[in-house]
Amino acid sequence: MSSQQSVQSEVLKVLSDRRSVKQYKSGHKMPKEDLEQLLKSASEAPSSWNLQHWKLLVIEDQAQKEKLLPIAYGQKQIIESSVVIAVLGDLEANKNAQLVFGPAVEGGFMPKELMDNLVAQIEGAYQYPQVARDEAIRNASLAAMQLMIAAKAMGYDTCPMGGYDAAKFVQEFNVPARYVPVMLISVGLAASPARPSGRLSLDQITVSNSF
Ligand SMILES: Cc1cc2nc3c(=O)[nH]c(=O)nc-3n(C[C@H](O)[C@H](O)[C@H](O)COP(=O)(O)O)c2cc1C
C-alpha cells in the first residue's frame, strides 16, 4: 500500500470509528500538549472569509464541571470526561477582519484593494443579525467537528451535546453577548464503547442534480 493510500484509509477509519461516547475513565487529566493539539486542529477549520467565527471555552476544572452538570441536565459525561469544550460562535466575527487580513496585506500576500473589498462585503453582510447568527453557528460547527475528529485520531473519544440550558450556561459562565453557545463537547478516554448508531442510506440522504 502506498503511503498516500495508507493515510487515506487511516483518515477514513477515524471518520467511521468516531462515535458519541458517554462513559469515560474519570479522573484522567489530559496532557497540555494534547489539549493544545486539539484546539489547534479545531482552529484549522475553514470559515467564511476566514473570519474564524469560534471561541472555545475550555472547562477542565472539576468545580466548574460540577457547576455545568445541572445545566447539562445531569449528563455524566460532563464530570467524567477529561475536559469539556464549549464551542461558541462569534456574532461579531466581522471584527476579526483586520486581525486576519492585516498581516496578509503587510506580508505582501494580499493586495490592499482586495482587503478593502472583502471588508466592505463583510460589513454589508453583517448589517443583518440573521447572517451574523447563521455564520457564527455554521462556522463554529465546522471547528467542533474538526476537534472531534482530531480527538479520535489522538486516541480520545468525544460526545457533542446540545442538551443543555444555553441561557443558564451564558449566565453562569459569564459568556459575553458577542458569543452564541453552539454545543458542548466532552473529550476523554472511553470507559465503555458508544452505543452503535445507524445511518440513513445514501439513497435516503442524497438527491441527484436537482429536487
Ligand atoms: C448537535 C448535537 C447535539 C447532541 N446532543 C447530545 C446530547 O445532549 N447528549 C448526548 O448524549 N448526545 C448528544 N448528541 C450525540 C448524538 O446523539 C449522536 O451524534 C447520534 O446519535 C449519532 O451517534 P454517533 O455520534 O455515535 O455516531 C448530539 C449530537 C449533535 C451533533
Side-chain angles (χ1 to χ4, degrees), residues 18-22 72 75 77 148 158-164 182-184 194-199:
R18 184 218 54 80
R19 283 289 171 270
S20 295
V21 165
K22 301 181 192 177
Q75 299 194 66
Q77 55 269 40
M148 291 189 278
T158 57
C159 182
M161 281 168 276
Y164 63 100
V182 173
M183 71 184 82
L184 305 174
R195 228 179 305 122
S197 63
R199 290 296 188 268

